[in-house]
Every structure is written in structure tokens, then in C-alpha cells.
Amino acid sequence: MLGRRSVLAIGVGTAAAAMTRSAFAAEGDLDAAYINAKVWTGAGPDTRSDAIGVSGDRIVAIGAAAVRARTGKRTRVVDLQGAFVTPGFIDPHVHFVKAATMLSQPSLRDAADPKEFVARIAAAAKGLPKGQWLEGGNWDQDRWGGEMPHRKWIDAVTPDTPVAVTRYDLHMLFLNSLALKLAGIDRNTVSPPGGVIEKDADGEPTGIIKDSAKDLVLRAIGEQTPEQIDAVTRQGIELALSKGVTQVHPTELETISFDSTRRLRAKGETGLRFRHYLPLKDWEAQAALIAREGRGDDWVQWGACKVVFDGSLGSRTARFYEPYLDEPGTRGIVVTDPADLRRWVEGADKAGIQVTAHAIGDEVNDIVLDTFAAVAKVNGPRDRRFRVEHVQHMKPTAIPRFKAQDVIASVQPYHAIDDGRWAVRRVGEERLKTSFAFGSLVRSGAHVCMGSDWPVAPIDPLTGLEAAVDRETLDGKNPQGWHPEQRVTLAQAMRCYTREGAYAGFNDKKLGLIAPGFLADFVVWDCDFFAIDSHLLLKAKALRTIVGGVQRYG
């Protein structure tokens, strides 16, 4: 249960932790001794060691002397030959099954112009049986100047293939005419609350479907079988482990990843740790599940909810106080009614369920913070760890509120170097001064965890580290860093991917550090991150990924 704390889970640096380490010293031989290592423990910016001792699924000794004292005939000794070791990385924001499914779907992310975009869709359609949906995509219209695709672009090359390919931010689908027909969308279809069905000058759907309107399409596509879902979950687990990720937080509006990992856990197949954030509107069902089954275990956890409050900057559906510069007729949309937000947050929080909210635009970040403050006042003090996902654009007054209200900022550094290519066209330079404000948030003393938003960005945490440290946009136009005042140090970024990720999931007493009493989750790398130029981080490779004392990769 997440609410329980054992003796082994007392924080490092306390007297109780010292007693715990002494208790370990009196026990028997280690199961495994990892020696001759350069260990960054995560306890501080420069805290290092040279050996790790493991018994069962726990770290029980740190340092060559302590490990040597516990090494016996039954101990498996692993000489790391000077390799660099870090705590396992935690990715606190992924769309796991969706992303894993897209591994085998066509990619449109780097299509440089409409011609290439259409050609890739045509080629993918040719490889599918007649009538099978073409999904995947991750397209980005800003790569070719911003012109939105139109169904007429692809109708001729996909006459028998319904197409529903997503923009890389996951807030927008592009459909051909056949897909629109199967979804029941025509000129008379009204955009639902929190969504947009884009129409052309003639009043006909263009094929662009945004935010909650996507539900009309998803219903028409239907669901994968449990066997298909579990197969792609396994593929996602394998990829995550190969990148040094040892726990993920699926933050989704459906239960597909939750259901799959529960099935795999029942078979003992996980290997990667999961903490699930389920739809906030269904918080009562989760409260009932907790009453029946608790909150999971160290492999598959629940007891948290997520709500989406606005859209995305790229889709112009993130909600701002002022209009978009490149589309003055809109300030974005609100996906969830603020009254529902307040009612659901209050109910879930009262039931002891952690809550996080997707908020990108400056207006909705203020609304979410206001809501969290009001609920905390009504429900009274407790360790609730409210989170905000993305926290991309803020008024200057919002930044200190995270520390003051003890709200976690869950951010994705890769988004800064991606959106930074074109964000100024959307909202102008003034609003960008406090956008993707990682440095300001970290320096304020707020809890900041960093992740990927996979598949919006790669699940590889090294891409996030490099983005947070250098902030060089993907187009190469900001070699000194895009808004460089918001850069953070490598040690700060690594803390955000380890200790802060653990804190964000109520796992900070057992994950995020290499220390006695903590779960044996750590990664062996082929180079010392602190000994190379930050631009070379992307070339680093995980050699071994150990989770729960077992080598799961390498």
C-alpha cells in the first residue's frame, strides 16, 4: 500500500537510515556485488560511490568496504570496469500503450513537405488490407511552414483505407473522406464541447479533428484485443528498459495501459515498474478499487487520477488569456468544465487519491492552481502531492505558486526544444519569457519532475537531459540555448528524472536513489555523463538496466 512506510523506507541522511544500514551489515552474504564502478548515487549533485551490494530486490550496501564485507561464496560479483552508474530513470508522463502501438505504425514526423507527407501515407495504405484503418503518424505541419493538411490531399491515394493519423502532440487527428464517413462526421456534425471539427469555406470537414472530437473517430476505429495490447506493452517495456527507464507513469484518459500491466503483473511479466494515473472523472470507481484491492505493489501501482484541462500549443487549443497571434479568432479551448474540475478534484482528494491536471496555456495553469488551493483549504492539510502536467506557459505570478502551494510541476524538456522552433509565431516573444520555465521552477524550490510524454517525444531520458541542459532547438537556430536563462544544470536535471520522479509518485522512500534500503533499480552506462560535453549525452548507451535486483536489459 502506498500509504505505509517500513523501517527500510526512512530517508537517507536521518538517524533512522543509519540504524537501517547497521541492520543490513549484520545480515548474510550479498546476492550480487557490483564493483569497480563510478556510481552517482543521486543523494547530492556530487555524491559518488564505487560499489553496490544487492540482496533480493534491495540495495543493502554502498561502497567498496561495505560491499567487500558482505561478499561471500554465494555472492555473484560483477566487475563494472569503471562504468558509470545512476539510479534508474523515472518517466512520470507517458502514453504507454498508444506509444508502444505506434512503434509498428508508419511515421510521418519528419515528412518535410506536403508531397512527402502524402507519399508516405500512400505507401503505408498500399501495405494494408482493404478497409483496415491506417493509424500512427506523429505528423508536424510546422515542418513545411504550418499549412494544415486537407482530406483532399490523400483521398485519391487512400480510396479503400480509412486514415486517422495523429499530430505528434496527440491533440489532433487527420482523416481522409472514408474515415470521416465511417466516423459519422459530415457538414452537419457540430463540434462537441472541448473539441473542434474543422471545416473549410464550403462548410465541409477538412479532416482535422481536435481534442474531445477525436472520440467520434476512436469509437469508429474500435479497440485492439487484450492479446494485441499485451504484445505491444511488452515491446514498450523492452524499449524503455533499453533506455535506462525503470519506472513510468502512464497519464492517460483511458484504462488500456492499466488493464494491460495488471494482466502482465498477474503473470509476473512486468520487469518495468508502472504507476498509473486514471481518468479523474472516474475517481469513484478507483476509490472502490482501492477499497477492494489496495493500491497495487512495487511493480504496478494506482491511486492517482489525471484530467485534461486544455489542448496543445501546436493545435492552437492550449488556453491563453490573450488570442493566438497566428489565429486571432481563438484563445484556445477548455476541455473540462471548471465546475467539473473542482467537483472531481475535491472528491478524489477527499478519498486520498492523488490528482494531476494537464495544463498548457497560461489561463488554465492559473485555474488549476486556484482549484488546487481551494480544494486543499476545504479538505485540510495532508501529503497530497497535487501535480500539473506540462506547465508550459505561465504568467510570472504563477511560478512561485508551485513552491508556495506544494504543487509538483511535471514537465517535458524535449517539448521546449521542439516547440521552440515555432512557438513565437503562436504567442509572441513576451509570453515566451515564462514558457517552459524549468530553471525558474527549479530555482524557486518547487518539486519538478521531468519526463517525455512518449510518443510525443522519445522515451529516451538522455534526450530530455540534453534538452534541459542546453535548450538548443531542433532546427539548430538557437546554439546558445532558447531562452537560456531557463537552462538547468546536469545534476539538477538528473535529480528531476530520479528523486523528483520518485517523489511525484509517492515512491521517494524506495526509488530514485542508490542507497541502502532502496529498491535495487539502477543503470550502468558506457560513459560518465559528468565527464563529457552535454552535447554528447545523446551518444551514451545503457549497458545494463537492473530493476528489483534483476538485470532486465543488457
Side-chain angles (χ1 to χ4, degrees), residues 42 77 95 100 128 192-193 212 220 267 284 393 395 419 478 528:
V77 178
H95 304 269
L128 294 177
S212 68
K267 300 175 184 177
E284 291 173 300
H393 308 279
K395 291 289 189 183
D419 290 13
N478 293 273
D528 184 338

Side-chain angles (χ1 to χ4, degrees), residues 250-282:
T251 53
E252 298 161 332
L253 295 183
E254 63 277 320
T255 64
I256 185 170
S257 294
F258 175 67
D259 295 336
S260 179
T261 55
R262 292 243 295 173
R263 288 191 297 267
L264 294 182
R265 178 67 185 125
K267 300 175 184 177
E269 291 188 22
T270 42
L272 176 70
R273 302 188 193 278
F274 291 82
R275 175 172 172 79
H276 290 279
Y277 288 72
L278 300 172
L280 180 60
K281 64 182 177 63
D282 300 326

Side-chain angles (χ1 to χ4, degrees), residues 233-408:
T233 299
R234 293 186 186 99
Q235 293 174 7
I237 289 172
E238 183 178 352
L239 176 62
L241 292 171
S242 76
K243 301 299 183 181
V245 176
T246 54
Q247 187 189 54
V248 294
H249 297 182
T251 53
E252 298 161 332
L253 295 183
E254 63 277 320
T255 64
I256 185 170
S257 294
F258 175 67
D259 295 336
S260 179
T261 55
R262 292 243 295 173
R263 288 191 297 267
L264 294 182
R265 178 67 185 125
K267 300 175 184 177
E269 291 188 22
T270 42
L272 176 70
R273 302 188 193 278
F274 291 82
R275 175 172 172 79
H276 290 279
Y277 288 72
L278 300 172
L280 180 60
K281 64 182 177 63
D282 300 326
W283 71 265
E284 291 173 300
Q286 186 169 179
L289 175 64
I290 292 169
R292 293 193 310 270
E293 301 184 26
R295 298 172 184 256
D297 58 18
D298 289 334
W299 291 100
V300 179
Q301 301 174 352
W302 54 92
C305 287
K306 178 197 176 184
V307 63
V308 171
F309 199 41
D310 69 341
S312 73
L313 185 69
S315 298
R316 299 181 185 85
T317 52
R319 181 73 171 188
F320 287 89
Y321 286 108
E322 302 297 329
Y324 283 84
L325 296 184
D326 57 354
E327 193 172 319
T330 183
R331 296 190 292 121
I333 63 175
V334 173
V335 175
T336 300
D337 187 302
D340 288 337
L341 177 74
R342 169 61 190 270
R343 178 165 51 86
W344 294 340
V345 172
E346 185 172 331
D349 181 68
K350 188 174 293 183
I353 295 172
Q354 186 188 21
V355 175
T356 189
H358 163 120
I360 289 185
D362 54 16
E363 182 178 3
V364 294
N365 271 286
D366 281 349
I367 294 173
V368 168
L369 289 169
D370 289 346
T371 301
F372 284 170
V375 168
K377 183 176 181 179
V378 168
N379 287 346
R382 75 174 183 88
D383 185 9
R384 49 179 42 93
R385 303 193 194 184
F386 281 146
R387 291 170 46 166
V388 180
E389 304 300 316
H390 307 304
V391 199
Q392 286 188 5
H393 308 279
M394 294 178 286
K395 291 289 189 183
T397 52
I399 294 173
R401 295 184 65 182
F402 284 84
K403 167 67 173 177
Q405 293 182 213
D406 200 18
V407 173
I408 299 164

